[in-house]
Amino acid sequence: MKLALDAMGGDDAPQINVDGAVLALSKLSSLEKLYLVGNEAELKKRCEAAGIARDARLEIVHASEVVEMDESGLDVLRKKKDSSMGVSVNLVKDGTADAVVSAGNTGAAVAASTFGLRRLPGIKSAGIVSPLPSVHGYVLVTDTGANPDPAGPRLLVGYAVMAALMARYIYNRPQPKVAVMSNGTEDCKGSKFSKETFRALQELAEHKLLPFNFAGNCEGHDLLETDLDVAVTDGFTGNILLKSVEATAKAFAHWLKAGIKADFMAMLGALAMRRVFRRISEKLSADSIGGCPLMGVNGVSIIAHGSATGVAILNAMRMAEGMCRNSVNDRIVDTMGAINAYWNHDSAE
Protein backbone atom coordinates (compact mmCIF):
# COMPACT_ATOMS: atom_id res chain seq x y z
CA MET A 1 0.00 0.00 0.00
CA LYS A 2 1.12 3.53 -0.82
CA LEU A 3 -0.31 6.10 1.57
CA ALA A 4 -0.43 9.90 1.71
CA LEU A 5 -0.45 11.39 5.22
CA ASP A 6 -1.48 15.01 5.76
CA ALA A 7 1.36 15.76 8.17
CA MET A 8 0.06 19.23 9.07
CA GLY A 9 -3.44 18.04 10.05
CA GLY A 10 -4.44 17.71 13.70
CA ASP A 11 -4.33 19.70 16.93
CA ASP A 12 -0.76 18.63 17.68
CA ALA A 13 0.53 18.43 14.13
CA PRO A 14 3.01 17.77 12.73
CA GLN A 15 4.48 15.77 15.64
CA ILE A 16 1.53 13.36 15.96
CA ASN A 17 1.84 12.49 12.28
CA VAL A 18 5.59 11.93 12.55
CA ASP A 19 4.87 9.71 15.57
CA GLY A 20 2.28 7.85 13.48
CA ALA A 21 4.78 7.48 10.65
CA VAL A 22 7.33 5.95 13.04
CA LEU A 23 4.78 3.38 14.19
CA ALA A 24 3.52 2.63 10.68
CA LEU A 25 6.99 2.07 9.24
CA SER A 26 7.74 -0.44 12.00
CA LYS A 27 4.36 -2.20 12.20
CA LEU A 28 2.68 -2.12 8.78
CA SER A 29 4.36 -4.74 6.62
CA SER A 30 2.13 -3.85 3.65
CA LEU A 31 3.31 -0.24 3.60
CA GLU A 32 5.38 0.21 0.43
CA LYS A 33 5.52 3.99 0.45
CA LEU A 34 4.52 6.70 2.92
CA TYR A 35 4.20 10.22 1.56
CA LEU A 36 4.49 12.69 4.43
CA VAL A 37 2.93 15.92 3.14
CA GLY A 38 3.64 19.34 4.64
CA ASN A 39 6.38 21.87 5.34
CA GLU A 40 9.47 20.10 4.00
CA ALA A 41 12.08 21.76 6.23
CA GLU A 42 10.11 21.16 9.42
CA LEU A 43 9.24 17.57 8.54
CA LYS A 44 12.84 16.74 7.64
CA LYS A 45 13.99 18.03 11.04
CA ARG A 46 11.37 16.04 12.93
CA CYS A 47 11.97 12.87 10.89
CA GLU A 48 15.70 13.15 11.61
CA ALA A 49 14.95 13.41 15.31
CA ALA A 50 12.61 10.42 15.10
CA GLY A 51 15.18 8.30 13.25
CA ILE A 52 13.11 7.67 10.12
CA ALA A 53 14.53 10.25 7.70
CA ARG A 54 16.61 7.66 5.84
CA ASP A 55 13.89 5.02 5.54
CA ALA A 56 13.56 4.29 1.81
CA ARG A 57 9.78 3.92 2.17
CA LEU A 58 9.38 7.50 3.43
CA GLU A 59 9.11 10.47 1.09
CA ILE A 60 8.43 14.04 2.15
CA VAL A 61 6.22 16.01 -0.23
CA HIS A 62 6.33 19.76 0.26
CA ALA A 63 3.11 21.73 0.72
CA SER A 64 3.35 25.43 1.55
CA GLU A 65 -0.06 25.94 3.19
CA VAL A 66 -1.91 24.54 6.20
CA VAL A 67 -5.66 24.16 6.67
CA GLU A 68 -6.65 25.61 10.04
CA MET A 69 -9.25 23.80 12.14
CA ASP A 70 -11.75 26.68 11.99
CA GLU A 71 -11.66 27.29 8.24
CA SER A 72 -14.56 26.63 5.87
CA GLY A 73 -14.08 23.58 3.67
CA LEU A 74 -15.18 25.34 0.49
CA ASP A 75 -13.04 28.39 1.27
CA VAL A 76 -10.01 26.13 1.63
CA LEU A 77 -10.62 24.63 -1.81
CA ARG A 78 -10.71 28.08 -3.37
CA LYS A 79 -7.97 29.85 -1.45
CA LYS A 80 -5.41 27.24 -0.40
CA LYS A 81 -4.43 25.35 -3.53
CA ASP A 82 -1.17 24.12 -1.99
CA SER A 83 -2.44 22.97 1.40
CA SER A 84 -1.03 19.76 2.88
CA MET A 85 -4.55 18.33 2.87
CA GLY A 86 -5.19 19.17 -0.79
CA VAL A 87 -1.79 17.91 -1.94
CA SER A 88 -2.36 14.65 -0.01
CA VAL A 89 -5.72 14.10 -1.73
CA ASN A 90 -4.19 14.87 -5.12
CA LEU A 91 -1.61 12.12 -4.60
CA VAL A 92 -4.54 9.67 -4.49
CA LYS A 93 -6.29 11.40 -7.38
CA ASP A 94 -3.31 10.97 -9.73
CA GLY A 95 -2.68 7.37 -8.64
CA THR A 96 0.57 8.02 -6.78
CA ALA A 97 -0.99 6.90 -3.48
CA ASP A 98 -3.73 4.37 -2.72
CA ALA A 99 -5.20 6.19 0.27
CA VAL A 100 -5.07 9.44 2.24
CA VAL A 101 -5.23 9.98 6.00
CA SER A 102 -5.83 13.37 7.62
CA ALA A 103 -6.53 14.48 11.19
CA GLY A 104 -7.23 17.99 9.98
CA ASN A 105 -10.42 20.04 9.63
CA THR A 106 -13.22 17.50 8.98
CA GLY A 107 -15.26 19.80 6.73
CA ALA A 108 -12.22 20.62 4.64
CA ALA A 109 -11.24 16.93 4.44
CA VAL A 110 -14.74 16.03 3.22
CA ALA A 111 -14.71 18.86 0.66
CA ALA A 112 -11.18 18.12 -0.57
CA SER A 113 -11.84 14.39 -0.92
CA THR A 114 -15.28 14.80 -2.50
CA PHE A 115 -14.23 17.39 -5.07
CA GLY A 116 -10.76 15.99 -5.60
CA LEU A 117 -11.56 12.29 -5.90
CA ARG A 118 -15.18 12.60 -7.09
CA ARG A 119 -17.80 10.00 -6.29
CA LEU A 120 -17.84 6.30 -7.03
CA PRO A 121 -20.11 5.26 -9.93
CA GLY A 122 -23.66 4.79 -8.65
CA ILE A 123 -23.11 6.80 -5.46
CA LYS A 124 -25.04 10.07 -5.13
CA SER A 125 -23.17 11.46 -2.12
CA ALA A 126 -20.30 10.49 0.17
CA GLY A 127 -20.95 9.74 3.84
CA ILE A 128 -18.83 9.38 6.97
CA VAL A 129 -18.99 6.04 8.78
CA SER A 130 -18.19 6.25 12.51
CA PRO A 131 -17.57 3.10 14.60
CA LEU A 132 -19.03 3.32 18.11
CA PRO A 133 -18.06 0.83 20.84
CA SER A 134 -20.92 -1.38 22.00
CA VAL A 135 -21.33 -4.43 24.22
CA HIS A 136 -20.94 -6.60 21.09
CA GLY A 137 -17.88 -4.84 19.65
CA TYR A 138 -18.58 -1.92 17.36
CA VAL A 139 -21.66 -0.54 15.62
CA LEU A 140 -21.11 1.57 12.50
CA VAL A 141 -23.18 4.75 12.32
CA THR A 142 -23.61 6.58 9.03
CA ASP A 143 -23.81 9.36 8.03
CA THR A 144 -22.20 11.30 10.89
CA GLY A 145 -21.68 14.68 9.29
CA ALA A 146 -20.74 14.66 5.61
CA ASN A 147 -24.29 15.37 4.42
CA PRO A 148 -26.58 17.00 7.04
CA ASP A 149 -29.47 17.42 4.60
CA PRO A 150 -29.71 14.37 2.27
CA ALA A 151 -31.80 14.80 -0.86
CA GLY A 152 -33.81 11.60 -0.49
CA PRO A 153 -34.06 8.11 1.03
CA ARG A 154 -32.07 6.53 -1.79
CA LEU A 155 -29.07 8.43 -0.51
CA LEU A 156 -29.38 6.63 2.82
CA VAL A 157 -29.71 3.31 1.01
CA GLY A 158 -26.25 4.01 -0.41
CA TYR A 159 -24.94 4.80 3.07
CA ALA A 160 -26.40 1.54 4.40
CA VAL A 161 -24.78 -0.48 1.61
CA MET A 162 -21.38 1.15 2.07
CA ALA A 163 -21.35 0.76 5.86
CA ALA A 164 -22.55 -2.84 5.62
CA LEU A 165 -19.72 -3.75 3.24
CA MET A 166 -17.30 -2.07 5.62
CA ALA A 167 -18.76 -4.12 8.48
CA ARG A 168 -18.32 -7.31 6.46
CA TYR A 169 -14.80 -6.79 5.14
CA ILE A 170 -13.17 -4.62 7.81
CA TYR A 171 -14.96 -5.84 10.96
CA ASN A 172 -15.49 -9.44 9.82
CA ARG A 173 -19.29 -9.50 10.08
CA PRO A 174 -20.32 -12.04 7.38
CA GLN A 175 -24.03 -11.10 7.55
CA PRO A 176 -24.22 -7.52 8.83
CA LYS A 177 -27.38 -6.50 10.64
CA VAL A 178 -28.53 -3.05 9.50
CA ALA A 179 -31.33 -0.84 10.83
CA VAL A 180 -32.72 2.67 10.31
CA MET A 181 -32.47 5.01 13.29
CA SER A 182 -35.92 5.99 14.53
CA ASN A 183 -37.92 6.84 17.66
CA GLY A 184 -39.30 3.31 17.92
CA THR A 185 -38.75 -0.14 16.48
CA GLU A 186 -42.30 -0.50 15.07
CA ASP A 187 -42.58 -0.18 11.29
CA CYS A 188 -44.94 2.78 11.64
CA LYS A 189 -42.54 4.85 13.78
CA GLY A 190 -40.22 7.58 12.58
CA SER A 191 -40.13 10.81 10.64
CA LYS A 192 -41.44 11.03 7.09
CA PHE A 193 -37.87 10.72 5.83
CA SER A 194 -36.92 7.74 8.00
CA LYS A 195 -40.13 5.93 7.01
CA GLU A 196 -39.35 6.45 3.33
CA THR A 197 -35.86 5.06 3.92
CA PHE A 198 -37.37 2.08 5.75
CA ARG A 199 -39.69 1.33 2.82
CA ALA A 200 -36.88 1.66 0.26
CA LEU A 201 -34.68 -0.80 2.16
CA GLN A 202 -37.57 -3.17 2.80
CA GLU A 203 -38.38 -3.31 -0.92
CA LEU A 204 -34.76 -4.01 -1.84
CA ALA A 205 -34.59 -6.70 0.85
CA GLU A 206 -37.66 -8.41 -0.62
CA HIS A 207 -35.90 -8.50 -4.03
CA LYS A 208 -32.70 -9.85 -2.39
CA LEU A 209 -30.59 -6.91 -3.56
CA LEU A 210 -29.08 -5.97 -0.20
CA PRO A 211 -25.69 -7.29 0.99
CA PHE A 212 -26.95 -7.40 4.58
CA ASN A 213 -29.82 -8.41 6.82
CA PHE A 214 -32.29 -5.55 7.08
CA ALA A 215 -33.51 -5.36 10.68
CA GLY A 216 -36.04 -2.55 10.28
CA ASN A 217 -35.96 0.33 12.76
CA CYS A 218 -33.70 0.75 15.76
CA GLU A 219 -33.67 3.12 18.72
CA GLY A 220 -30.73 4.92 20.30
CA HIS A 221 -30.15 2.31 23.01
CA ASP A 222 -29.94 -0.45 20.39
CA LEU A 223 -26.63 0.97 19.20
CA LEU A 224 -24.91 0.18 22.48
CA GLU A 225 -26.92 -2.75 23.85
CA THR A 226 -27.65 -5.09 20.92
CA ASP A 227 -25.75 -6.96 18.21
CA LEU A 228 -26.61 -4.34 15.59
CA ASP A 229 -23.80 -3.82 13.06
CA VAL A 230 -24.94 -0.67 11.20
CA ALA A 231 -27.32 2.18 12.02
CA VAL A 232 -28.21 4.47 9.13
CA THR A 233 -29.40 8.05 9.48
CA ASP A 234 -28.93 11.52 8.02
CA GLY A 235 -25.72 13.43 8.70
CA PHE A 236 -27.40 16.01 10.94
CA THR A 237 -28.83 13.41 13.33
CA GLY A 238 -25.75 11.20 13.12
CA ASN A 239 -23.38 14.02 14.01
CA ILE A 240 -25.45 15.02 17.05
CA LEU A 241 -25.60 11.37 18.13
CA LEU A 242 -21.84 10.89 17.77
CA LYS A 243 -20.94 14.00 19.75
CA SER A 244 -23.52 13.20 22.44
CA VAL A 245 -22.11 9.71 22.95
CA GLU A 246 -18.55 11.08 23.09
CA ALA A 247 -19.56 13.70 25.65
CA THR A 248 -21.43 11.12 27.76
CA ALA A 249 -18.34 8.90 27.92
CA LYS A 250 -16.17 11.86 28.99
CA ALA A 251 -18.70 12.98 31.61
CA PHE A 252 -18.96 9.47 33.06
CA ALA A 253 -15.16 9.23 33.28
CA HIS A 254 -15.08 12.59 35.06
CA TRP A 255 -17.76 11.54 37.57
CA LEU A 256 -16.01 8.23 38.21
CA LYS A 257 -12.63 9.86 38.87
CA ALA A 258 -14.17 12.50 41.12
CA GLY A 259 -16.04 9.84 43.11
CA ILE A 260 -12.95 7.71 43.57
CA LYS A 261 -10.76 10.63 44.66
CA ALA A 262 -13.35 11.67 47.25
CA ASP A 263 -13.35 8.29 49.03
CA PHE A 264 -10.25 6.57 50.49
CA MET A 265 -11.75 3.06 50.26
CA ALA A 266 -12.78 3.72 46.68
CA MET A 267 -9.17 4.70 45.91
CA LEU A 268 -7.96 1.37 47.29
CA GLY A 269 -10.57 -0.45 45.20
CA ALA A 270 -9.54 1.53 42.13
CA LEU A 271 -5.96 0.31 42.53
CA ALA A 272 -7.20 -3.28 42.37
CA MET A 273 -9.35 -2.40 39.33
CA ARG A 274 -6.72 -0.44 37.40
CA ARG A 275 -6.28 -3.12 34.72
CA VAL A 276 -10.03 -3.22 34.13
CA PHE A 277 -10.16 0.57 33.94
CA ARG A 278 -7.27 0.56 31.46
CA ARG A 279 -9.04 -1.92 29.18
CA ILE A 280 -12.27 0.09 29.30
CA SER A 281 -10.36 3.30 28.57
CA GLU A 282 -8.68 1.69 25.55
CA LYS A 283 -12.04 0.45 24.28
CA LEU A 284 -13.61 3.91 24.53
CA SER A 285 -10.60 5.81 23.20
CA ALA A 286 -10.81 7.28 19.70
CA ASP A 287 -7.19 6.14 19.28
CA SER A 288 -8.28 2.50 19.08
CA ILE A 289 -10.47 3.29 16.07
CA GLY A 290 -8.01 5.65 14.42
CA GLY A 291 -10.26 7.31 11.89
CA CYS A 292 -13.55 7.26 10.04
CA PRO A 293 -13.67 6.52 6.31
CA LEU A 294 -15.40 8.93 3.96
CA MET A 295 -17.31 6.28 2.02
CA GLY A 296 -18.45 6.86 -1.55
CA VAL A 297 -15.46 8.77 -2.94
CA ASN A 298 -13.39 7.31 -5.75
CA GLY A 299 -10.46 6.48 -3.53
CA VAL A 300 -9.79 5.74 0.14
CA SER A 301 -9.97 8.75 2.46
CA ILE A 302 -9.72 8.30 6.24
CA ILE A 303 -10.56 11.23 8.51
CA ALA A 304 -8.95 11.01 11.95
CA HIS A 305 -10.00 12.98 15.03
CA GLY A 306 -8.38 16.39 15.49
CA SER A 307 -7.04 15.32 18.90
CA ALA A 308 -5.49 12.17 17.42
CA THR A 309 -2.23 10.76 18.75
CA GLY A 310 0.43 8.81 16.89
CA VAL A 311 -1.39 5.60 17.83
CA ALA A 312 -4.60 6.93 16.29
CA ILE A 313 -2.75 7.83 13.09
CA LEU A 314 -1.34 4.30 12.95
CA ASN A 315 -4.81 2.80 13.36
CA ALA A 316 -6.22 5.16 10.73
CA MET A 317 -3.58 3.80 8.36
CA ARG A 318 -4.62 0.28 9.29
CA MET A 319 -8.18 1.19 8.40
CA ALA A 320 -6.96 2.49 5.03
CA GLU A 321 -4.96 -0.70 4.45
CA GLY A 322 -8.02 -2.85 5.13
CA MET A 323 -10.16 -0.82 2.75
CA CYS A 324 -7.57 -1.19 -0.01
CA ARG A 325 -6.75 -4.85 0.59
CA ASN A 326 -10.40 -5.91 0.57
CA SER A 327 -11.31 -3.78 -2.48
CA VAL A 328 -14.28 -2.33 -0.58
CA ASN A 329 -14.88 0.40 -3.17
CA ASP A 330 -15.13 -2.15 -6.00
CA ARG A 331 -17.70 -4.11 -3.99
CA ILE A 332 -19.70 -0.92 -3.39
CA VAL A 333 -19.78 -0.18 -7.13
CA ASP A 334 -20.96 -3.72 -7.96
CA THR A 335 -23.71 -3.72 -5.32
CA MET A 336 -24.98 -0.22 -6.07
CA GLY A 337 -24.88 -1.02 -9.80
CA ALA A 338 -27.43 -3.80 -9.27
CA ILE A 339 -29.59 -1.62 -7.01
CA ASN A 340 -29.54 1.32 -9.44
CA ALA A 341 -30.40 -1.02 -12.31
CA TYR A 342 -33.45 -2.20 -10.35
CA TRP A 343 -34.50 1.38 -9.60
CA ASN A 344 -34.04 2.45 -13.22
CA HIS A 345 -36.05 -0.52 -14.49
CA ASP A 346 -38.76 0.16 -11.93
CA SER A 347 -38.94 3.83 -12.99
CA ALA A 348 -39.14 2.89 -16.68
CA GLU A 349 -42.16 0.72 -16.03
Side-chain angles (χ1 to χ4, degrees):
M1 176 184 67
K2 298 176 181 178
L3 190 140
L5 176 60
D6 171 16
M8 311 309 288
D11 296 340
D12 296 316
Q15 190 57 51
I16 57 158
N17 295 298
V18 174
D19 293 343
V22 172
L23 292 172
L25 290 168
S26 65
K27 295 180 181 295
L28 290 183
S29 59
S30 64
L31 188 62
E32 301 172 47
K33 196 78 174 180
L34 176 59
Y35 298 98
L36 205 57
V37 185
N39 183 287
E40 185 174 14
E42 185 170 5
L43 291 177
K44 279 185 176 179
K45 180 175 65 176
R46 290 179 184 261
C47 287
E48 286 282 0
I52 59 172
R54 291 171 178 77
D55 194 306
R57 293 168 295 168
L58 181 71
E59 181 176 332
I60 295 173
V61 178
H62 181 65
S64 61
E65 297 174 303
V66 177
V67 175
E68 303 299 337
M69 298 302 280
D70 60 350
E71 289 187 275
S72 161
L74 292 177
D75 284 348
V76 167
L77 289 180
R78 289 192 295 264
K79 298 176 182 178
K80 292 190 171 180
K81 304 293 185 183
D82 195 44
S83 70
S84 58
M85 184 181 291
V87 172
S88 298
V89 169
N90 285 336
L91 288 172
V92 178
K93 179 182 179 181
D94 66 21
T96 301
D98 301 309
V100 56
V101 169
S102 176
N105 180 317
T106 298
V110 170
S113 297
T114 301
F115 286 94
L117 302 177
R118 302 299 178 183
R119 295 188 301 272
L120 288 170
I123 294 297
K124 295 184 180 296
S125 181
I128 298 174
V129 180
S130 297
L132 291 182
S134 76
V135 295
H136 291 278
Y138 287 97
V139 58
L140 308 183
V141 181
T142 185
D143 173 34
T144 53
N147 196 336
D149 191 20
R154 291 187 178 184
L155 203 61
L156 265 65
V157 169
Y159 291 163
V161 167
M162 292 188 289
L165 291 172
M166 179 180 165
R168 175 180 292 180
Y169 293 103
I170 304 301
Y171 287 91
N172 300 314
R173 312 284 176 81
Q175 292 296 323
K177 185 178 177 182
V178 179
V180 177
M181 284 209 65
S182 185
N183 61 336
T185 56
E186 299 87 353
D187 294 1
C188 61
K189 289 292 184 70
S191 65
K192 180 177 181 291
F193 185 70
S194 70
K195 284 190 250 187
E196 289 173 348
T197 303
F198 178 99
R199 287 193 291 269
L201 287 168
Q202 188 175 53
E203 181 180 349
L204 292 170
E206 290 170 355
H207 286 82
K208 303 187 185 305
L209 289 169
L210 296 178
F212 54 80
N213 293 325
F214 179 49
N217 287 330
C218 69
E219 297 181 87
H221 67 85
D222 291 318
L223 274 63
L224 305 179
E225 296 177 348
T226 70
D227 60 350
L228 187 67
D229 296 307
V230 174
V232 61
T233 187
D234 61 273
F236 180 79
T237 304
N239 190 262
I240 292 174
L241 166 71
L242 179 66
K243 290 176 179 176
S244 297
V245 170
E246 289 176 344
T248 300
K250 289 179 181 178
F252 181 79
H254 172 77
W255 296 329
L256 186 63
K257 288 178 182 178
I260 290 172
K261 288 180 180 179
D263 188 304
F264 177 73
M265 294 303 294
M267 291 179 67
L268 292 178
L271 287 174
M273 291 283 289
R274 62 186 182 276
R275 291 183 182 177
V276 175
F277 288 149
R278 187 181 302 116
R279 286 197 293 269
I280 293 173
S281 178
E282 290 172 354
K283 177 75 172 178
L284 295 176
S285 172
D287 285 0
S288 63
I289 296 169
C292 302
L294 179 65
M295 305 288 282
V297 294
N298 193 16
V300 174
S301 177
I302 309 296
I303 303 173
H305 204 285
S307 60
T309 64
V311 173
I313 296 300
L314 168 64
N315 287 328
M317 293 186 195
R318 283 180 168 147
M319 175 79 74
E321 192 275 337
M323 296 284 288
C324 293
R325 174 169 42 84
N326 290 287
S327 303
V328 175
N329 280 349
D330 290 340
R331 299 177 192 279
I332 290 170
V333 171
D334 291 344
T335 303
M336 287 307 299
I339 289 173
N340 284 318
Y342 168 77
W343 279 336
N344 292 335
H345 177 74
D346 192 49
S347 298
E349 290 184 344

